[in-house]
Amino acid sequence: GSDVNAATVLRVLCGDTRAGGRTVPPEGVGSVMMVIVSHGHAHPAGQGSKNHEWYMHFPHPVRTEDDGMYDIVSHRGFATVDPHPDWDWGAPKHRWKLYSQMLFQAHHTVLQRSPRRRLVLFHQFCLSGGTANFMRQRSYQMYCGTRRWPVFLVVTAGRFEAALGNFVGLWVEELVASLRGGGGRTLGGVYDAAEARYWGASPELK
């Protein structure tokens, strides 16, 4: 229903009871896995800007009273590249999106509170590589210490590339098989097995 929006995801991750249902407890949780399957894209931060804001779409918009959570994002840059500026989405267009910077802020908040919590993240959508900027950009590494974060992140696209449509299914199948077999494989091993299956089914892409 209408709760399937960006605000709900952030509140669930942060243990905010305003999510209206079950949330990840603020303490006593050793690891969290989050798989997001959606449509993704990016837009310049502003007219003529070389910086971009990456985002994923949600089926429902954030409510008006939660609009302030977008204050950390240069979402107005979308207007500079909007292919259909006259289309009415039923709510301001940014409120249908979860921006990678908002997700980063949620992870940062959680890890400040529970620094030993391990995060396993899988992002299945186009341009999802942009959501991994916090792991590879020096500014994040220097000011937020992200090189030391206990995060395992899989993306299925480069920062400006279309996604591999079926990789998430292969990865989940390998993860389930590993858990049912006693959990003897590492996450890296699960990824390697899924990758081998992907190339085995698509040898013409090599």
Side-chain angles (χ1 to χ4, degrees), residues 29-90:
V29 176
S31 58
V32 172
M33 176 179 292
M34 181 176 69
V35 178
I36 298 180
V37 180
S38 184
H39 297 288
H41 215 290
H43 61 72
Q47 184 71 44
S49 175
K50 295 182 180 179
N51 298 317
H52 283 72
E53 298 281 4
W54 280 264
Y55 61 87
M56 60 222 75
H57 284 280
F58 272 73
H60 296 279
V62 164
R63 294 179 177 86
T64 302
E65 58 267 29
D66 293 322
D67 191 79
M69 65 175 50
Y70 290 92
D71 289 347
I72 64 169
V73 180
S74 301
H75 62 81
R76 292 179 179 83
F78 178 70
T80 67
V81 294
D82 187 350
H84 303 288
D86 298 328
W87 284 12
D88 182 2
W89 289 18

Side-chain angles (χ1 to χ4, degrees), residues 3 6 9 25 31 44 54 74 84 88 95 98-99 103-104 128 134 140 145-146 148 161 163 172 174 177 186 191 193:
D3 286 334
V9 171
S31 58
W54 280 264
S74 301
H84 303 288
D88 182 2
R95 297 212 318 249
L98 173 58
Y99 282 87
L103 201 52
F104 164 77
S128 55
F134 74 91
Y140 286 100
T146 56
R148 299 186 298 275
E161 296 177 346
V172 170
E174 291 299 327
T186 64
Y191 178 89

Side-chain angles (χ1 to χ4, degrees), residues 103-117:
L103 201 52
F104 164 77
Q105 186 183 56
H107 296 325
H108 184 267
T109 298
V110 166
L111 291 175
Q112 279 190 314
R113 187 172 57 208
S114 302
R116 295 183 181 276
R117 181 175 297 178

